[in-house]
Amino acid sequence: QVQLVESGGGLVQAGGSLRLSCAASGRTYIMGWFRQAPGKEREFVVAITRTSTRTYYADSVKGRFTISRNSAENTMYLQMNSLNLEDTANYYCAARDAYCSGYDCYSAPKYGFWGQGTQVTVSS
């Protein structure tokens, strides 16, 4: 069983930066972040393979967010720059115990393990 623990959320002004972390216990192949704003569905943000050879980004965060992974520590990081009001959401770390291909990499139901979430609030 994989357990995921997120940290690093908080309040930041528009244009600012935050760094999220997700520490995993157990073997994971794909780790990623999803987010959910009030009244909206959970949406894919970014994902990375175990060896960091492949990354997947939502169009809305390309060029602003950067995902990285320390396999030795089994920890994933999300550097978020140029934050805007639309980035406000609860951010969830997610993981799969198998590789993904195509649409599966972006689909929340295809991830079997989830963290509790960390709130990111961007103020104007």
Side-chain angles (χ1 to χ4, degrees):
Q1 188 73 7
V2 174
Q3 292 186 328
L4 305 172
V5 178
E6 304 106 330
S7 61
L11 175 65
V12 64
Q13 285 192 324
S17 299
L18 278 177
R19 188 190 194 209
L20 305 183
S21 300
C22 176
S25 65
R27 187 175 181 86
T28 62
Y29 285 88
I30 305 294
M31 293 184 73
W33 292 94
F34 289 75
R35 66 187 181 185
Q36 188 166 18
K40 295 187 176 181
E41 293 187 354
R42 189 169 298 190
E43 65 173 0
F44 171 82
V45 179
V46 63
I48 188 169
T49 57
R50 183 173 62 86
T51 55
S52 303
T53 51
R54 295 201 67 177
T55 56
Y56 308 84
Y57 288 88
D59 288 343
S60 60
V61 305
K62 282 181 182 176
R64 302 188 298 122
F65 291 12
T66 303
I67 191 171
S68 60
R69 185 168 179 173
N70 184 325
S71 294
E73 297 179 355
N74 215 10
T75 301
M76 173 180 64
Y77 303 96
L78 180 62
Q79 179 65 43
M80 304 185 294
N81 298 328
S82 301
L83 285 161
N84 58 53
L85 298 180
E86 289 69 36
D87 296 316
T88 295
N90 204 1
Y91 283 68
Y92 295 90
C93 177
R96 286 169 53 97
D97 57 2
Y99 285 111
C100 62
S101 63
Y103 177 75
D104 286 358
C105 304
Y106 303 85
S107 175
K110 300 298 184 180
Y111 287 75
F113 307 102
W114 292 86
Q116 294 296 313
T118 184
Q119 179 67 34
V120 172
T121 303
V122 183
S123 65
S124 58

